[in-house]
Amino acid sequence: MSFKDIYSKYKDMELDKILREISKTRVEMALDKEYPDENDYLALLSPAAESYLEPMARKAHELTVRNFGRAIVLYTPLYLSDYCSNKCIYCGFRADNSFDRKKLTYEEVEKEGKAISKTDIRHILILTGESEKHTDLEYLKNCVKILKKYFSSITVEIYPMTTEGYKELVTEGVDGLTIYQETYDEDIYHKVHLKGPKRDYDFRLDAPERGLEAGIRRINIGALFGLSPWRKEAFFTGLHAWYLQNKYTEAEVYISFPRLRPFKGEDLDYIHRVTDKNMVQMMLASRLFLPRVGLNLSTREAPELRENLLPLGVTRMSAGSVTAVGGYSGEDSGVEQFEVADHRSVDEIKSLLLKHRYQPVLKDWEMLS
Amino acid sequence: MDTFKIGGKELKSRLIVGTGKYPRKSMISEVIKSSGTEVITLALRRVDINSEDENILNYIDDSCVLMPNTSGATTADEAVKIARIAKAAGCGDWVKIEVIKDNKFLLPDNYETLKASETLVKEGFKVFPYVTPELAVAKELENVGVEAVMPLGAPIGTNKGLETRELIKILISEINLPIIVDAGIGRPSQAAEAMELGCEAVMVNTAIATSQDPPLMADAFGRGVEAGRKAFLAKNPQVKDKAEASSPLTGFLSED
């Protein structure tokens, strides 16, 4: 059985109607359970659950502190390249946006890696636009080889690969994989991904599983909230995490909740805006359904909101984010993929966490090769 | 009070404290002080030996014995690698084996733990395996030559106390090694209870680290463990399940 089977089981159900008809009593029942199931999760995502955000928040906070402690793991993203062969209507890196594309040379990768490692952060997330031509497996492997000198954990956020491709990266020292489905709604998926290999919904959907088969230990999934109605999107994201956690019991599973931010060439017509309140509800519901799944807080959110979201279940966040290629060593800044709301440096994020009684964890894994 | 002889050391305190989950790293030194603990566990994967600011060892008093753990290991091989890295990094030769394949409930894999323990004992480590309380595995571990057996009281982080009480009692009775309850202890009274049963020590992390005032809670745990040990030494009279019959059934037997 693959996740597609589970997805297919739910996708034809009238989820909107089911969600609307969930009663307050049903929400209370879900809130009381020690081991909630997928139906309880749906209840916690329902409109009726909006009246229970405070008790949900208390339980989410308590579960998170018990499971993860008063500690938040920090990582820094590094953009290797902004070449892309896809046409996603919501993204500044899309193939038909014309700007001077850039890909870091190995010298530049070394320089950026060194600059980031001075902050003592030992987890790095390397990202590329999705162009296999410009950032092929060889290039990625060489970048990992360089960065291994400075970091104890390397996560990739790149185009979906075959199991064999992921295996080669794991052998080189990659231990984490971030891949967002963007939207679980197949029709919308095809509407917003106009051209390029990314149009293959199934190949992307199974990528997390291929990564785990290949020996990845930390998997981070998510949807780009705003592309479709959020309750269903959050439901499928949680189900996906639940499926992966049950099948790959040794893996660390993470969920992110990125919301669409303003981007170059934005067209507002198709956007389903997700309010802060909606965002809080989906984070809380996910924590209650999946107490051991890590929640990753995006840099896309504004500082004040990030601070308020901290105690609701967050276990991991980025610090020192620059979304332009070559942004850390201060040379050749390219075009930013999207607008980052929180520009604070690693030191600022560290003191912010400490102020809220959270320990910033700069190292959480030791490379064993 | 009697001393606690373990792993070639003689200790006063029978409380082992963990270093994870605190609101700041520096709080660990306050916790060590107030609890009186002399053994500190730490996840090797979180130690950054090369960093001056971020090195957790800065906050651990030299007089404490370090017990690096292999948290993050999902196989015996990984646990062995982590133990070797810890030793090479100067963390001593004590190691707590944690092999966990199940990230949902964090229950230990006894089989892989046994394999790793066997290898590491041969390499000269003082091995402290964290296990689900199971007599057969505990006996094997005893044969292999570990220093103590560390069964869980309840799943990590749950603060539920001695849910595995009956199994732990069997280990105490059948295994000729110190039994140290690790995981699940949520209150000082539960730590006292474990000590009254005859455990040699108790390991606590979440309950201290996530409390509102960790140094104060650490103090409470130190005292709980001490109280339980004293009660055990004083031969805590057994609580009787049923009232004793006023006319004993064997009263007719004469002394001759």
Side-chain angles (χ1 to χ4, degrees):
Chain A
M1 191 176 67
S2 72
F3 179 63
K4 191 67 189 279
D5 300 322
I6 294 178
Y7 170 77
S8 304
K9 180 179 139 197
Y10 285 99
K11 108 181 153 140
D12 297 325
M13 288 168 64
E14 286 182 88
L15 286 176
D16 290 321
K17 188 165 173 274
I18 295 172
L19 278 161
R20 261 198 322 273
E21 288 173 355
I22 287 169
S23 67
K24 287 191 171 184
T25 320
R26 181 66 189 84
V27 175
E28 285 170 19
M29 211 176 105
L31 194 49
D32 276 348
K33 278 208 190 165
E34 187 171 4
Y35 300 109
D37 62 19
E38 61 270 46
N39 293 318
D40 297 308
Y41 181 45
L42 201 56
L44 295 169
L45 288 168
S46 70
E50 284 181 21
S51 328
Y52 294 89
L53 292 186
E54 186 55 31
M56 280 169 74
R58 279 200 215 120
K59 188 171 177 188
H61 175 69
E62 196 260 332
L63 279 172
T64 311
V65 168
R66 244 172 46 189
N67 279 289
F68 299 89
R70 299 201 63 96
I72 290 184
V73 177
L74 298 181
Y75 66 93
T76 298
L78 168 61
Y79 279 74
L80 297 179
S81 158
D82 51 19
Y83 285 95
C84 193
S85 39
N86 293 310
K87 214 170 138 184
C88 313
I89 56 178
Y90 50 81
C91 178
F93 280 5
R94 58 192 269 185
D96 61 338
N97 263 353
S98 63
F99 59 90
D100 274 342
R101 304 267 168 175
K102 175 147 178 66
K103 169 179 145 186
L104 296 186
T105 64
Y106 296 132
E107 291 72 39
E108 287 168 330
V109 170
E110 178 107 38
K111 213 167 170 180
E112 296 269 311
K114 216 179 207 169
I116 296 170
S117 76
K118 288 214 173 100
T119 62
D120 279 338
I121 281 198
R122 294 291 165 261
H123 314 122
I124 194 161
L125 166 68
I126 52 177
L127 307 94
T128 64
E130 296 193 6
S131 166
E132 193 170 349
K133 190 176 135 206
H134 290 92
T135 50
D136 61 11
L137 189 57
E138 270 320 293
Y139 174 76
L140 293 168
K141 279 162 66 180
N142 287 329
C143 291
V144 171
K145 255 183 211 146
I146 296 166
L147 294 168
K148 230 159 81 168
K149 290 187 280 182
Y150 304 101
F151 301 95
S152 66
S153 166
I154 301 176
T155 300
V156 291
E157 186 170 347
I158 51 175
Y159 48 89
M161 278 186 172
T162 60
T163 312
E164 288 64 39
Y166 287 133
K167 265 187 193 154
E168 289 200 38
L169 289 177
V170 169
T171 309
E172 215 54 75
V174 168
D175 64 338
L177 170 65
T178 296
I179 185 154
Y180 301 149
Q181 187 62 21
E182 318 294 14
T183 172
Y184 285 86
D185 185 312
E186 274 183 279
D187 296 335
I188 294 178
Y189 187 91
H190 287 111
K191 271 183 211 153
V192 297
H193 301 112
L194 303 173
K195 261 187 185 163
K198 197 168 175 178
R199 279 183 68 77
D200 191 340
Y201 176 93
D202 288 355
F203 190 65
R204 195 172 189 89
L205 191 69
D206 287 335
E209 194 158 357
R210 288 195 301 274
L212 291 167
E213 292 283 351
I216 288 284
R217 61 188 310 135
R218 195 177 47 258
I219 186 82
N220 190 352
I221 61 167
L224 184 49
F225 287 92
L227 293 177
S228 87
W230 69 271
R231 290 184 211 274
K232 277 195 276 184
E233 208 69 273
F235 180 63
F236 285 116
T237 308
L239 273 189
H240 199 178
W242 172 78
Y243 165 83
L244 294 171
Q245 194 185 40
N246 290 341
K247 187 159 176 185
Y248 302 90
T249 58
E250 72 286 2
E252 280 180 37
V253 181
Y254 283 82
I255 300 179
S256 300
F257 303 91
R259 285 192 289 185
L260 266 180
R261 304 251 332 140
F263 51 89
K264 203 176 169 225
E266 178 177 88
D267 169 7
L268 283 169
D269 285 353
Y270 62 89
I271 289 176
H272 299 259
R273 284 286 175 216
V274 178
T275 66
D276 291 355
K277 189 179 169 188
N278 302 153
M279 168 105 165
V280 164
Q281 189 180 348
M282 61 177 128
M283 279 179 66
L284 298 176
S286 306
R287 168 56 69 234
L288 269 45
F289 177 44
L290 304 160
R292 287 282 315 154
V293 158
L295 301 186
N296 193 349
L297 182 56
S298 168
T299 322
R300 293 163 184 241
E301 301 300 342
E304 202 192 321
L305 181 63
R306 275 178 99 167
E307 286 178 47
N308 288 323
L309 293 177
L310 267 185
L312 304 184
V314 175
T315 62
R316 197 175 178 92
M317 64 197 274
S318 61
S321 304
V322 182
T323 63
V325 177
Y328 290 100
S329 45
E331 287 172 34
D332 287 332
S333 290
V335 171
E336 285 200 316
Q337 186 189 17
F338 53 84
E339 199 181 295
V340 179
D342 194 343
H343 288 277
R344 286 172 295 183
S345 72
V346 175
D347 280 340
E348 281 172 296
I349 298 282
K350 274 163 71 179
S351 37
L352 169 102
L353 289 180
L354 288 167
K355 190 182 97 192
H356 289 271
R357 294 190 73 237
Y358 281 94
Q359 181 191 147
V361 176
L362 305 196
K363 176 174 180 281
D364 189 34
W365 184 238
E366 183 67 40
M367 248 181 225
L368 297 177
S369 54
Chain B
M1 210 167 71
D2 65 330
T3 55
F4 177 32
K5 295 191 185 81
I6 191 156
K9 311 257 180 196
E10 199 169 334
L11 308 167
K12 284 193 210 81
S13 167
R14 290 171 180 269
L15 173 64
I16 300 173
V17 168
T19 48
K21 300 185 169 179
Y22 286 93
R24 57 183 158 85
K25 275 186 196 155
S26 55
M27 199 175 261
I28 290 154
S29 53
E30 296 156 47
V31 163
I32 292 174
K33 215 180 207 172
S34 65
S35 66
T37 184
E38 292 160 290
V39 181
I40 293 291
T41 68
L42 72 167
L44 186 269
R45 66 178 189 166
R46 281 198 174 172
V47 179
D48 193 348
I49 279 301
N50 301 316
S51 164
E52 273 179 34
D53 297 342
E54 290 299 327
N55 193 342
I56 200 164
L57 298 175
N58 295 343
Y59 304 108
I60 302 175
D61 198 275
D62 286 343
S63 62
C64 286
V65 184
L66 291 180
M67 190 194 274
N69 67 48
T70 63
S71 127
T74 57
T75 62
D77 274 357
E78 284 184 348
V80 167
K81 279 182 189 167
I82 292 173
R84 289 175 187 153
I85 295 172
K87 198 177 197 175
C91 294
D93 59 0
W94 286 31
V95 65
K96 183 179 152 207
I97 311 292
E98 281 183 31
V99 184
I100 294 175
K101 276 186 181 159
D102 146 47
N103 209 358
K104 206 167 169 183
F105 299 101
L106 295 177
L107 295 172
D109 183 320
N110 282 357
Y111 175 67
E112 293 287 315
T113 302
L114 176 60
K115 279 205 293 187
S117 299
E118 192 165 11
T119 308
L120 291 168
V121 167
K122 280 183 192 150
E123 291 184 17
F125 282 88
K126 303 266 194 293
V127 176
F128 297 82
Y130 166 57
V131 293
T132 302
E134 192 186 333
L135 183 58
V137 165
K139 282 195 166 167
E140 284 297 322
L141 287 166
E142 191 178 4
N143 291 336
V144 155
V146 300
E147 301 299 319
V149 176
M150 301 181 75
L152 59 89
I156 295 183
T158 58
N159 294 340
K160 286 186 177 178
L162 287 178
E163 294 282 341
T164 57
R165 187 188 168 93
E166 292 308 316
L167 299 173
I168 286 178
K169 274 159 69 178
I170 291 171
L171 295 191
I172 292 171
S173 144
E174 302 302 310
I175 302 295
N176 294 314
L177 287 174
I179 302 300
I180 303 173
V181 174
D182 177 2
I185 300 288
R187 294 196 301 268
S189 54
Q190 293 163 348
E193 184 192 352
M195 296 304 294
E196 284 172 43
L197 284 182
C199 291
E200 290 279 339
V202 166
M203 145 97 214
V204 182
N205 184 20
T206 308
I208 295 176
T210 66
S211 69
Q212 286 299 313
D213 187 341
L216 188 59
M217 189 57 100
D219 180 18
F221 268 101
R223 288 164 196 265
V225 167
E226 206 178 309
R229 180 64 185 175
K230 282 180 179 167
F232 174 77
L233 291 176
K235 301 271 187 284
N236 188 24
Q238 265 187 321
V239 177
K240 299 196 172 63
D241 288 337
K242 288 178 189 144
E244 244 166 56
S246 49
S247 315
L249 293 177
T250 52
F252 65 92
L253 294 172
S254 59
E255 277 292 322
D256 45 56

